[in-house]
Amino acid sequence: MALLPYSKCKFLFPIIFLSLTLSSMSQAELDAHYYDKTCPQAEKIISDTVLRASTFDPKVPARILRIFFQDCFIRVCDASILLDSTPKNLAEKDGPPNLSVHAFYVIDEAKAKLEKACPRTVSCADLIAIAARDVVALSGGPYWNVLKGRKDGRVSKASETVNLPAPTLNVNQLIQSFAKRGLGVKDMVTLSGGHTLGFSHCSSFQARIHNFSLLHDIDPSLNTEFALDLKKKCPKPNTNFSAGQFLDSTASVFDNDYYRQLLVGKGLFSSDQSLVGDQRTSWIVKAFAKDQSLFFKEFADSMLKLGNVGVSENGEVRLNCKVVN
């Protein structure tokens, strides 16, 4: 075998090293049994904390699920959304789309308990992933074995929250946004079903019910009766900043009602309603509206896929989820 001259080898080595490094970062090994020996009680500690918090505040499940989505959509699932801002850095949680994200205290409480039971062992990123699974199951949805072994990131920038999918996106934009994270069209429609839990303030959909266009005051894709009800709840000008609407008619139950509402023009966000009007996505909406068990299976699969996107072994296990070590 012919040997390369040293002048070529010295340039080739960094390329090979970089390739191997990137490969190890993108293919970090996650394992459902990651904490079996080091912290076997981890999942029980988390689920007990989530259950207790949800009992006192019914909004907790939707908020925890949103924390998982918002975290994984920026960089990777590295708990960067939990980091507090500093005098020199505005963190993700203070970016405009995340100002309405709450229930961080539940994660903090679970982390404090984990540190007492198993110091320096369970990452905040894994904590979020487990808690997200637990709130779905607690609300009547599917249960899945969470893959674990993530590390916590050290970087959190509010400016990067512009990459989160907005409630005004159309199908093309949604497909592009999810594709950047290695997620397909079916994953996008499936994960949108997370909107079966929760509540939205008027600001996220008021453009659909007031002065929508030159021809229509109300978005014509909205069910007329539903739109008029929204206008009553969210008048213009609106002085009640806590006013809004539940995301589907069974907002505290994880089910397929979200998809059934879309089929009758009652999708709250234009991004949600757009799924019905595009042939690439409408068939999935109809399938999930008809078969809840199918939706549950696909949701569990897509949550695992989202939780595994771009996972890196580089990072740390934070002692306090709000600050880097």
Side-chain angles (χ1 to χ4, degrees):
M1 180 179 69
L3 297 176
L4 289 173
Y6 172 74
S7 60
K8 291 186 179 180
C9 285
K10 69 179 182 179
F11 291 109
L12 184 62
F13 173 74
I15 294 173
I16 294 173
F17 178 77
L18 177 62
S19 175
L20 291 173
T21 301
L22 290 174
S23 175
S24 67
M25 286 178 64
S26 62
Q27 297 180 9
E29 289 295 325
L30 297 185
D31 184 358
H33 304 286
Y34 189 82
Y35 297 114
D36 281 5
K37 292 182 179 180
T38 57
C39 193
Q41 66 271 53
E43 295 205 28
K44 186 177 188 308
I45 290 172
I46 296 169
S47 63
D48 286 351
T49 305
V50 167
L51 174 60
R52 183 172 179 274
S54 300
T55 301
F56 283 102
D57 182 359
K59 301 184 189 74
V60 163
R63 290 171 170 176
I64 295 292
L65 186 57
R66 190 177 176 202
I67 287 174
F68 177 74
F69 284 139
Q70 306 289 73
D71 182 49
C72 294
F73 257 85
I74 299 176
R75 294 177 177 269
V76 295
C77 304
D78 63 353
S80 53
I81 192 173
L82 302 181
L83 288 172
D84 282 347
S85 294
T86 67
K88 294 184 178 180
N89 179 67
L90 195 65
E92 285 175 33
K93 65 166 60 170
D94 292 316
N98 285 337
L99 292 177
S100 59
V101 178
H102 301 288
F104 293 115
Y105 72 91
V106 182
I107 303 297
D108 294 334
E109 183 181 333
K111 178 61 172 173
K113 293 176 181 177
L114 288 168
E115 284 303 311
K116 285 184 179 180
C118 319
R120 302 172 181 268
T121 303
V122 181
S123 69
C124 300
D126 279 344
L127 198 173
I128 294 172
I130 294 167
R133 183 274 315 278
D134 288 344
V135 296
V136 169
L138 183 65
S139 303
Y143 181 95
W144 61 93
N145 288 321
V146 175
L147 301 180
K148 298 168 283 287
R150 300 166 187 80
K151 292 296 186 286
D152 299 324
R154 301 183 180 92
V155 178
S156 181
K157 297 182 181 295
S159 59
E160 294 183 346
T161 59
V162 297
N163 296 317
L164 291 169
T168 55
L169 297 187
N170 60 38
V171 171
N172 282 331
Q173 293 167 324
L174 287 169
I175 290 174
Q176 291 170 9
S177 177
F178 278 71
K180 289 177 182 177
R181 290 148 187 87
L183 299 167
V185 175
K186 185 188 288 185
D187 295 311
M188 182 268 287
V189 179
T190 302
L191 293 172
S192 295
H195 287 167
T196 185
L197 295 177
F199 176 90
S200 173
H201 292 103
C202 299
S203 58
S204 295
F205 58 86
Q206 63 183 3
R208 301 186 70 199
I209 56 175
H210 298 290
N211 303 320
F212 177 72
S213 69
L214 292 175
L215 297 177
H216 303 280
D217 181 48
I218 297 172
D219 182 345
S221 68
L222 267 174
N223 176 286
T224 303
E225 185 180 347
F226 181 59
L228 293 175
D229 183 52
L230 293 178
K231 285 175 77 77
K232 291 178 183 177
K233 293 178 179 177
C234 303
K236 190 176 181 180
N238 179 24
T239 56
N240 181 4
F241 298 110
S242 63
Q245 173 68 25
F246 290 108
L247 296 181
D248 73 10
S249 63
T250 58
S252 62
V253 179
F254 195 96
D255 55 19
N256 66 339
D257 186 62
Y258 162 82
Y259 297 103
R260 294 199 299 267
Q261 296 298 311
L262 293 185
L263 293 179
V264 293
K266 294 185 178 181
L268 193 59
F269 303 142
S270 58
S271 57
D272 290 334
Q273 197 59 53
S274 69
L275 301 178
V276 178
D278 191 294
Q279 61 182 4
R280 293 170 293 180
T281 53
S282 60
W283 68 274
I284 307 173
V285 172
K286 292 174 183 175
F288 289 163
K290 183 178 180 181
D291 189 343
Q292 181 169 276
S293 62
L294 174 63
F295 165 52
F296 280 11
K297 177 187 178 301
E298 294 294 342
F299 189 82
D301 290 346
S302 291
M303 285 288 281
L304 285 168
K305 194 171 178 181
L306 173 61
N308 202 24
V309 170
V311 171
S312 172
E313 288 177 337
N314 297 326
E316 62 186 12
V317 175
R318 284 183 221 141
L319 305 183
N320 179 340
C321 292
K322 296 179 179 181
V323 295
V324 296
N325 293 342

